[in-house]
Amino acid sequence: MSDSLLNVHIQHTLQTVHGKMPMEITLSLPKGQILAITGPSGAGKTTLLRQIAGLLTPENGRIAFGSEVWFDSAEQKAISPQLRNVGFVFQDYALFPHLTVEENLFFGLKKGSDKSIVDALLRATDLSNLADRKPNQLSGGQQQRVALARALVRKPALMLLDEPFAALDYDMRYHLQDMLLKFHRQHQLTMIIVTHDIGEIFRLADQVAIIENGKIARQGTPAEVYAHEQSQTGDFVIFGEVLSCVSHADQLLVSALVENKVRQLTLPLDLAPEMIPGNTFTLRYPMDSARVMLIRH
């Protein structure tokens, strides 16, 4: 794509529980768009983010961001992570344990930047009253909010988010999704987010890519990808166990164990009889494309 900001074409070998698996990814992302990446565990989603950020070097290929070449195996070129204008929100938070919440944010601030953004992000993430605490004094959800705020404080050209809202309850997750969208609009951020939440994909993403066995199986708008998947290969299937379920704003907010992780799902009210805590379930998407689209604001 001629208007693409990020262009990736890499080959790598993934080490999985089943042995070695070849990974080959080609994708392009225009400036200002949000790409959601989803797919089964072990397919290469986190590996791809780490390669783009420069934290892991692909075996072969090329990664370019605008006019900058970040990685080129043919030229033996690999730009260090510090020189890539990337904000990364890790699954394990990666906070500095000896720094307070506020100090973690200031550490991420570029020299000469307006320091008022630190206070603004502390307020937006509901962390102002925790600013003097250190990470070991915070819950997992609180640490995840600090990690998100620290990544945003740099106003990076590219944001990479690895399941950033997985540990949060519905209200905080929805609030931070809303904050992320506002930040995205204000600063025209380009983002890639790994998520298993279909509602989150429809709410946040311009494009979605499903990675299976180290390759992109389908890519397009959320409506295109899931409509295509339904018509060609059957519905997208999620298996899980219900942990909790409440109704809120004409939707079901379901906490479920999916792929050995706790996921937060937003579902139609008419699924309530199946969403009893302790029950196992099978969900097929799109159950109703028009209805699913309503959760994107």
Side-chain angles (χ1 to χ4, degrees):
M1 296 173 61
S2 59
D3 62 344
S4 295
L5 179 65
L6 176 68
N7 290 281
V8 177
H9 181 65
I10 58 94
Q11 300 88 36
H12 196 71
T13 302
L14 292 172
Q15 303 293 335
T16 75
V17 293
H18 304 293
K20 294 182 178 180
M21 181 176 71
M23 175 183 181
E24 184 169 358
I25 300 289
T26 297
L27 66 83
S28 299
L29 184 60
K31 181 178 180 180
Q33 284 204 359
I34 299 177
L35 170 67
I37 294 178
T38 191
S41 297
K45 302 182 298 296
T46 296
T47 296
L48 176 60
L49 292 195
R50 294 178 67 85
Q51 290 170 337
I52 293 172
L55 301 173
L56 179 65
T57 302
E59 293 169 352
N60 292 289
R62 192 173 191 269
I63 300 173
F65 189 79
S67 61
E68 299 179 1
V69 176
W70 285 353
F71 170 75
D72 191 325
S73 59
E75 299 292 333
Q76 296 186 329
K77 180 176 184 178
I79 299 300
S80 69
Q82 294 81 4
L83 298 178
R84 305 185 191 195
N85 190 8
V86 172
F88 201 139
V89 181
F90 298 85
Q91 283 181 305
D92 58 359
Y93 321 127
L95 301 175
F96 295 108
H98 61 290
L99 300 180
T100 66
V101 169
E102 186 177 50
E103 288 168 344
N104 264 278
L105 267 64
F106 273 116
F107 185 89
L109 193 65
K110 294 179 182 177
K111 290 183 179 180
S113 297
D114 184 356
K115 295 182 179 181
S116 65
I117 191 174
V118 171
D119 287 334
L121 283 169
L122 287 173
R123 291 194 301 272
T125 52
D126 198 23
L127 290 168
S128 296
N129 62 334
L130 303 175
D132 294 330
R133 295 192 186 183
K134 293 184 178 178
N136 64 359
Q137 298 174 295
L138 305 175
S139 68
Q142 290 166 341
Q143 290 183 53
Q144 199 162 25
R145 280 184 272 156
V146 178
L148 178 60
R150 189 182 62 182
L152 287 171
V153 78
R154 293 178 56 84
K155 297 180 184 176
L158 178 66
M159 278 281 290
L160 304 175
L161 305 105
D162 195 354
E163 298 198 65
F165 309 120
L168 305 178
D169 61 31
Y170 175 80
D171 288 335
M172 181 53 66
R173 190 172 80 256
Y174 193 90
H175 171 69
L176 291 183
Q177 287 174 358
D178 192 51
M179 184 196 77
L180 195 64
L181 284 172
K182 288 178 180 176
F183 224 79
H184 166 254
R185 288 192 293 266
Q186 289 171 0
H187 302 289
Q188 282 297 294
L189 293 182
T190 306
M191 301 185 187
I192 300 178
I193 179 171
V194 169
T195 178
H196 288 81
D197 190 322
I198 302 294
E200 193 163 271
I201 290 171
F202 274 92
R203 183 164 193 239
L204 296 179
D206 301 292
Q207 298 279 318
V208 57
I210 299 178
I211 296 183
E212 297 175 351
N213 299 316
K215 295 177 174 60
I216 294 180
R218 286 165 297 285
Q219 184 174 357
T221 67
E224 289 170 345
V225 166
Y226 291 110
H228 172 79
E229 194 163 346
Q230 183 183 40
S231 62
Q232 298 296 322
T233 62
D235 293 348
F236 183 74
V237 179
I238 294 177
F239 302 95
E241 178 183 347
V242 181
L243 301 178
S244 66
C245 177
V246 297
S247 60
H248 179 82
D250 297 324
Q251 294 175 325
L252 292 178
L253 312 180
V254 179
S255 178
L257 188 64
V258 178
E259 293 185 342
N260 297 316
K261 292 186 179 180
V262 177
R263 313 286 187 190
Q264 309 300 327
L265 306 175
T266 306
L267 304 173
L269 281 174
D270 56 16
L271 288 176
E274 301 177 39
M275 296 294 117
I276 299 172
N279 278 7
T280 57
F281 64 85
T282 301
L283 291 180
R284 298 179 182 274
Y285 283 91
M287 294 170 290
D288 180 330
S289 294
R291 187 165 48 189
V292 173
M293 285 294 288
L294 288 177
I295 62 178
R296 184 176 184 188
H297 297 282

